[in-house]
Amino acid sequence: MAETAEASAVRSTTPGGAVRVLSVLVIVAGVVMLLAGAATWLTVQQQLADERITVSEDAKWFAGEKIDGPLTAYAEAEVIERHALEASGGRTYAELDREDPTRQVVMTGSFLRASLFTSVVSFGVAALAMGLGLLLAIIGYVLLVVSRRLAALTPPPAN
């Protein structure tokens, strides 16, 4: 029976060759995710810093600090919510009459909070990508070590 080219290619590959290829692909994917996450984190951080916003003095945490990270952005979003509720007598935008002059203040506060929360989520996604990228790179390295050990344990094919 004639051997197919595909079967011949599989038989002639070195032991652990497929694992080695997979390990390199996983390492590359991990490094790409790590770099993409870091780039996202730095971009969001720089965009927030460029706005030159500081956390309100009456914040529970980080009062007076520059908003350039997830914790400071979250702290300011909480202050904005508190200020908006104080201005509206504890009512949300949906609870205010259309003619109520404080409705615009509450709406602006909601927009600002949503923007800050978007940056908090962006930081979270960036951290997730970096963590998964690191994990993939470690898994790829372990697969590379396994492929080398497989190659060392298996004798070369006889011709």
Side-chain angles (χ1 to χ4, degrees):
M1 211 184 230
E3 184 173 280
T4 65
E6 194 174 297
S8 175
V10 168
R11 198 171 52 78
S12 66
T13 59
T14 59
V19 177
R20 189 174 308 115
V21 169
L22 178 63
S23 70
V24 170
L25 290 174
V26 171
I27 289 170
V28 169
V31 169
V32 167
M33 286 183 70
L34 187 61
L35 293 174
T40 300
W41 183 285
L42 293 173
T43 300
V44 174
Q45 185 176 43
Q46 188 60 52
Q47 292 295 314
L48 276 174
D50 287 349
E51 293 296 323
R52 296 182 186 96
I53 307 167
T54 56
V55 179
S56 299
E57 292 298 327
D58 60 338
K60 293 178 186 176
W61 307 288
F62 308 108
E65 289 190 28
K66 184 177 182 180
I67 297 176
D68 61 359
L71 298 177
T72 52
Y74 186 83
E76 182 60 17
E78 281 190 331
V79 172
I80 291 170
E81 177 185 35
R82 190 172 68 241
H83 289 175
L85 289 173
E86 286 171 4
S88 68
R91 293 182 296 167
T92 65
Y93 176 80
E95 296 171 326
L96 293 170
D97 293 331
R98 290 181 187 218
E99 296 78 27
D100 192 328
T102 59
R103 193 167 199 234
Q104 182 66 37
V105 171
V106 174
M107 181 176 64
T108 301
S110 292
F111 290 153
L112 291 171
R113 289 183 67 232
S115 180
L116 288 168
F117 282 138
T118 299
S119 68
V120 171
V121 170
S122 298
F123 281 117
V125 170
L128 177 67
M130 289 187 291
L132 288 175
L134 181 60
L135 182 62
L136 282 176
I138 290 169
I139 290 170
Y141 174 74
V142 169
L143 286 173
L144 187 60
V145 170
V146 167
S147 74
R148 288 181 180 156
R149 293 209 177 147
L150 282 174
L153 292 174
T154 309
N159 287 335

